[in-house]
Amino acid sequence: MQSFSNLLKRFKNLTPPDGIIREAVSKVLMEQLGVEIPVQKIQIRSKVVFLQENNIIKSQVFLKKKILLQELQKVLEKQAPKDIR
């Protein structure tokens, strides 16, 4: 008989839906920058976050990119994005 943990091993590496990651990105941007970016303007491809916003907001994100990525790492752990553009 297999133990319960062995049965759940295959679900350990599942990635959350993009919606959860996009909401987390939006929340971290609001906390760190004070700018509310709608979830619809956030795209994720290959663990890279793409923002469809104006250049002023993108510049703010670029200046605080390291802090934002650290906060996302705390929130999302293994599923955290590797870059923000």
Side-chain angles (χ1 to χ4, degrees), residues 3-16:
S3 69
F4 189 67
S5 62
N6 287 339
L7 293 172
L8 295 177
K9 277 186 180 178
R10 66 179 142 172
F11 299 109
K12 188 175 186 177
N13 294 326
L14 289 178
T15 58

Side-chain angles (χ1 to χ4, degrees), residues 3-40:
S3 69
F4 189 67
S5 62
N6 287 339
L7 293 172
L8 295 177
K9 277 186 180 178
R10 66 179 142 172
F11 299 109
K12 188 175 186 177
N13 294 326
L14 289 178
T15 58
D18 282 350
I20 294 171
I21 297 173
R22 292 178 357 186
E23 288 176 14
V25 170
S26 179
K27 182 180 176 185
V28 168
L29 290 172
M30 180 63 182
E31 291 172 357
Q32 295 295 321
L33 300 177
V35 176
E36 188 172 347
I37 297 177
V39 178
Q40 295 82 9

Side-chain angles (χ1 to χ4, degrees), residues 20-76:
I20 294 171
I21 297 173
R22 292 178 357 186
E23 288 176 14
V25 170
S26 179
K27 182 180 176 185
V28 168
L29 290 172
M30 180 63 182
E31 291 172 357
Q32 295 295 321
L33 300 177
V35 176
E36 188 172 347
I37 297 177
V39 178
Q40 295 82 9
K41 291 189 174 189
I42 300 172
Q43 292 183 349
I44 300 172
R45 285 182 261 141
S46 302
K47 290 199 170 194
V48 177
V49 175
F50 294 94
L51 301 175
Q52 298 173 343
E53 274 295 335
N54 61 34
N55 291 335
I56 296 171
I57 293 175
K58 286 183 181 181
S59 295
Q60 290 178 345
V61 169
F62 178 75
L63 292 174
K64 293 191 175 187
K65 183 187 287 192
K66 187 175 180 180
I67 296 168
L68 295 171
L69 290 173
Q70 288 173 349
E71 288 296 317
L72 287 170
Q73 182 68 35
K74 289 178 188 176
V75 174
L76 296 172

